[in-house]
Amino acid sequence: MGEQSPTATSSDKARAARSLSAPEIRDRKRRDGHPPLAMVTAYDAPSARVVSEAGADLILVGDSVAMVVLGYDNTLQITVDDMAHHVAAVARANPQCHVVADMPWMSYHVNESETVHNAAKLIRAGAQSVKLEGGRRRLRMIERLIAAEIPVLGHIGLTPQSLHTMGGYKVQARHAEAARKLVQAAKALAHAGCYALVLECVPGPVAAVVTESVDVPTIGIGAGGDCDGQVLVYHDLLGIEKRVTPKFVRNYADLDTAAIAGVRGFVDDVRSGNFPSQEESYSMTPEQFDALGLS
């Protein structure tokens, strides 16, 4: 008595072996006793496998791929086709994480029909939901996407696609009026149907107020510890990206240094003649070599 039945145990294992749906994520508020959500970016199959095996809840195929992988100075250069390419690579790894695809700049800014068409391309590539930036001005597009049965993750605070309007990558909502507008935007997005909200680069106390004000989870990046979840870029948390290190990044590994040391070892061994060794080379029988008639 009191022991878990075999059926329940199997059910638990089945739930653990699949990704969370958007409705399941929507119910994951910390105040209801749920653990914080963990979201990590991933842009290809190898990183998706790592993130999945590490037990993350969500993979964000972010437009940050433009800077982190493709070498651009900002996210504005990425296209829907670029994003679909990387979403498909992530999906082919069959990660046990909810896959969210960023809608890139100008893919949801013009009209509702084009917005749905672009989002559908990302869903067909393997995403389970899409993320778009902005507050109240995006409500019409969000409502149209949800009407088309496409789950939406909102994103407010610092919105990198608004780089030129914001005057750079700056902490947002530091003043009372801006903080009030952020809370209002969060409520509007939640009311419009977003299943969760990303809060980027806002003061911790403001993020805490937003988190308490909405019934959907908040996922913070540079937004303090009171959000319902946290997200970091794969290359940042593993110490692969060293060019820019935001204050909110914590390195859990130093793969950049390890990778350079590994490649340097290979280069040195090639130049010294130590690679490849006999054990790393293929051979043929003396009889077959003699049959070539080359000696």
Side-chain angles (χ1 to χ4, degrees):
M1 187 174 181
E3 293 183 359
Q4 193 174 43
S5 68
T7 302
T9 301
S10 299
S11 177
D12 288 343
K13 289 181 178 179
R15 280 195 295 270
R18 64 172 176 79
S19 61
L20 293 169
S21 66
E24 288 171 329
I25 295 169
R26 186 176 56 219
D27 292 337
R28 290 281 296 269
K29 292 290 288 184
R30 288 176 66 183
R31 68 189 180 206
D32 296 329
H34 295 287
L37 292 159
M39 181 163 76
V40 181
T41 64
Y43 312 115
D44 54 27
S47 60
R49 281 194 290 269
V50 170
V51 173
S52 179
E53 291 184 21
D57 299 300
L58 301 94
I59 286 176
L60 171 62
V61 187
D63 61 356
S64 51
V65 66
M67 303 167 71
V68 176
V69 175
L70 301 181
Y72 292 115
D73 291 332
N74 55 56
T75 64
L76 304 183
Q77 310 303 319
I78 206 79
T79 67
V80 174
D81 287 338
D82 292 331
M83 290 302 304
H85 173 84
H86 286 278
V87 168
V90 166
R92 281 192 286 270
N94 193 29
Q96 302 306 299
C97 310
H98 183 96
V99 177
V100 189
D102 253 336
M103 295 194 69
W105 181 62
M106 292 307 295
S107 68
Y108 56 95
H109 301 70
V110 179
N111 60 61
E112 297 173 29
S113 176
E114 186 174 320
T115 297
V116 173
H117 173 79
N118 290 329
K121 184 175 290 188
L122 300 178
I123 297 296
R124 288 194 178 103
Q128 294 162 272
S129 64
V130 298
K131 179 172 77 66
L132 53 81
E133 298 180 2
R136 290 176 175 273
R137 68 185 64 180
R138 306 297 175 220
L139 292 178
R140 185 165 54 91
M141 301 305 185
I142 290 169
E143 290 169 350
R144 185 65 184 85
L145 288 170
I146 293 171
E149 313 294 348
I150 298 175
V152 178
L153 173 63
H155 181 159
I156 54 177
L158 171 61
T159 48
Q161 292 174 14
S162 306
L163 165 69
H164 298 310
T165 302
M166 290 183 167
Y169 301 112
K170 300 177 179 179
V171 177
Q172 301 296 304
R174 273 185 155 159
H175 301 290
E177 183 57 29
R180 276 193 292 269
K181 289 181 179 179
L182 188 73
V183 173
Q184 293 168 356
K187 290 180 177 180
L189 293 182
H191 181 73
C194 289
Y195 68 87
L197 303 173
V198 169
L199 304 180
E200 181 168 358
C201 287
V202 299
V206 176
V209 171
V210 172
T211 299
E212 187 59 32
S213 299
V214 295
D215 291 328
V216 299
T218 59
I219 301 175
I221 178 166
D226 291 316
C227 294
D228 298 301
Q230 299 291 331
V231 57
L232 280 180
V233 171
Y234 179 86
H235 295 68
D236 286 339
L237 72 89
L238 291 181
I240 300 172
E241 176 58 62
K242 293 290 186 72
R243 293 173 301 172
V244 179
T245 305
K247 178 181 180 178
F248 55 76
V249 169
R250 180 185 297 180
N251 293 138
Y252 288 85
D254 186 6
L255 298 194
D256 182 69
T257 299
I260 292 171
V263 175
R264 182 179 292 119
F266 166 72
V267 171
D268 290 344
D269 280 353
V270 168
R271 289 174 176 165
S272 68
N274 288 329
F275 180 85
S277 67
Q278 190 66 34
E279 291 75 18
E280 293 154 339
S281 303
Y282 298 101
S283 62
M284 62 190 304
T285 65
E287 292 79 12
Q288 290 298 319
F289 181 77
D290 291 340
L292 291 174
L294 298 178
S295 58

